[in-house]
Amino acid sequence: MREQTANPGAPVRVDLGAVTYPAAQADMARWVAERQQDLAPDRLFLLTHPPVITYSARTPLADLPDPASPIPLVEVDRGGHATYHGPGQLIGYLIVNVRALGPGDLVRRVEDGLLAALDTLGFPAIRRETPTGAPSLVGIWTPDHRKLASIGMRIRRGVSSHGFALNIDPDLSAFTTFTACALPDTTMTSLAELAAETGRATPTEAVVRDAVATALTEQLTRR
């Protein structure tokens, strides 16, 4: 585990390796309690997960994979619906005191940070507004409306948990085994797929981590 921060008012960046989802859930509960009790600063945890499909209590059963699916299925306490995590994704968990952030919605700040990071990496991306009564379009999208990153968070007693999943080079076929994000007509994509379309090399996970951490730090310290 590696912790670092260059700005005293910024979330501390904590780099982890591959963490199983059940272990991450247990750790996250502890991280949140530490922040709620002011025993730890704001932190941004960057990690990966072995293959898992997570879903919230609001997710329709019809959106979930066949019970015979070899990918573990885990119910979680965040917003959003079903999604896949696995190797080739960058997972970011934000454990921050949202009351101290000042003006601005946390999810919008995360979107802005990811958009800025992707821009520095040379990948144009957009956010989409959700029509009234429609499933949420929160996340990061390509200009042709393929989804590149999912965001699902929870705020309890003023502290956020969960965060985002950015597709660098995961097995995209896993997303075809269920309805991701309650959006049946959505195509998931990755930086590797976008890079291949333009004859570029896929950025390494280390490069993506640095870009994301830098951009999110800027967004989360903006007043």
Side-chain angles (χ1 to χ4, degrees), residues 32-212:
V32 169
E34 290 171 347
R35 188 66 191 96
Q36 289 170 336
Q37 298 168 46
D38 284 328
L39 299 176
D42 290 342
R43 288 181 283 187
L44 167 62
F45 294 87
L46 298 172
L47 59 147
T48 62
H49 287 310
V52 63
I53 292 171
T54 66
Y55 67 99
S56 69
R58 298 170 49 239
T59 304
L61 290 178
D63 285 1
L64 299 179
D66 186 282
S69 170
I71 302 176
L73 190 63
V74 179
E75 184 174 355
V76 295
D77 60 358
R78 57 161 172 75
H81 288 281
T83 195
Y84 167 77
H85 298 315
Q89 272 188 341
L90 176 62
I91 306 297
Y93 289 138
L94 279 162
I95 314 299
V96 303
N97 180 346
V98 296
R99 294 169 181 157
L101 279 179
D105 175 77
L106 176 60
V107 171
R108 180 53 61 92
R109 288 176 186 254
V110 174
E111 285 182 324
D112 286 343
L114 292 175
L115 288 170
L118 292 170
D119 185 61
T120 66
L121 294 170
F123 293 92
I126 63 170
R127 72 161 55 88
R128 296 173 66 188
E129 300 299 329
T130 303
T132 302
S136 174
L137 297 179
V138 165
I140 303 301
W141 303 78
T142 61
D144 63 357
H145 291 182
R146 288 176 287 170
K147 196 168 189 183
L148 187 57
S150 299
I151 299 171
M153 305 192 72
R154 178 182 179 178
I155 297 174
R156 185 177 183 185
R157 291 174 48 200
V159 173
S160 64
S161 58
H162 298 281
F164 63 87
L166 172 62
N167 295 332
I168 301 174
D169 190 15
D171 177 7
L172 293 175
S173 69
F175 288 101
T176 67
T177 65
F178 67 101
T179 300
C181 307
L183 298 168
D185 298 323
T186 293
T187 299
M188 304 297 292
T189 191
S190 65
L191 296 184
E193 189 170 75
L194 298 177
E197 290 172 1
T198 57
R200 298 173 49 193
T202 304
T204 66
E205 182 186 320
V207 168
V208 176
R209 282 190 181 220
D210 286 346
V212 167

